Amino acid sequence: MPHIDFLPGLPGIRGPMAFSPETARPLNDLVNVLLRTNATHPESTLSEGERELIGTYVSAKNDCFFCQTIHGAVASHHLGDTEWSLVQSVKQDYTQAAISNKLKALLAIAGSVQQGGKQVSTEQIEKARAEGATDRDIHDTVLIAAAFCMFNRYVDGLNTWAPDSPDLYRYRAQKVAEYGYTHEDHYLPPS
């Protein structure tokens, strides 16, 4: 049961966003800038799927079920991972996952940010650069990881509800891939 009264049936971050639309807009704008590849990321080599995977990994480390599941579904959608096996392998042990060495190096940075910004080491940055990460990739990884720590704490700090059905997350992933993150869209498929 959520700690405050939300509109019934809105899962995860959707409840707090409906409760506080004045904060929902800038939060959605931020996540759209961070996770969607467009003209705002000209120096980045990270795909939308990789950006979502960074958010998923941080959310898993923070044990935020809703965020790791929805962003894992969106990452899977972008990466063609229909069974979510790649996402699961990244959450379990990204060093053994079938992802690029560059993304592994960036996930190491993201994991350090999740523990505390000062945990990021010069060696991690050098390794990421050696694997082909641009300064924009490193910047965006740190910002995605930091933002997801905030989003995870927002969702879990208010004890929001999260559905169990993978179909709901798959449906939402298709909508996010098509329209991005907005507070006006719908989470649940039509009945």
Side-chain angles (χ1 to χ4, degrees):
M1 178 127 170
H3 293 310
I4 62 177
D5 289 331
F6 296 128
L7 291 173
L10 292 177
I13 203 165
R14 305 296 296 165
M17 286 189 169
F19 180 84
S20 179
E22 65 278 7
T23 57
R25 179 71 147 172
L27 290 175
N28 279 312
D29 288 347
L30 175 61
V31 81
N32 275 316
V33 167
L34 293 177
L35 300 182
R36 296 190 45 96
T37 302
N38 56 37
T40 63
H41 302 289
E43 309 89 33
S44 177
T45 65
L46 294 173
S47 70
E48 289 182 22
E50 290 169 325
R51 290 169 176 278
E52 291 281 355
L53 205 50
I54 293 167
T56 301
Y57 175 69
V58 170
S59 298
K61 288 187 66 73
N62 284 327
D63 194 28
C64 182
F65 178 79
F66 177 80
C67 293
Q68 70 179 289
T69 307
I70 185 56
H71 291 283
V74 177
S76 292
H77 180 85
H78 285 301
L79 298 170
D81 178 30
T82 57
E83 299 302 315
W84 297 0
S85 58
L86 177 64
V87 168
Q88 291 303 325
S89 69
V90 166
K91 291 190 316 184
Q92 290 170 1
D93 182 3
Y94 72 87
T95 65
Q96 301 301 311
I99 57 175
S100 70
N101 287 336
K102 178 187 79 177
L103 188 53
K104 288 177 184 179
L106 292 171
L107 288 172
I109 292 168
S112 290
V113 170
Q114 182 269 337
Q115 293 185 13
K118 292 181 180 182
Q119 301 301 311
V120 177
S121 70
T122 301
E123 294 77 23
Q124 288 175 318
I125 300 299
E126 289 171 359
K127 170 108 172 130
R129 283 192 178 121
E131 296 296 347
T134 65
D135 283 351
R136 173 58 83 175
D137 296 335
I138 294 166
H139 169 274
D140 290 358
T141 296
V142 169
L143 188 52
I144 291 167
F148 269 79
C149 287
M150 176 189 66
F151 292 129
N152 299 158
R153 283 153 180 78
Y154 187 39
V155 167
D156 287 341
L158 290 170
N159 198 36
T160 65
W161 165 74
D164 293 325
S165 171
D167 291 337
L168 296 175
Y169 295 99
R170 283 187 175 96
Y171 173 82
R172 174 70 177 137
Q174 292 172 332
K175 295 300 180 190
V176 168
E178 188 173 351
Y179 301 110
Y181 292 92
T182 65
H183 68 283
E184 291 89 8
D185 62 359
H186 301 285
Y187 242 98
L188 303 176
S191 349

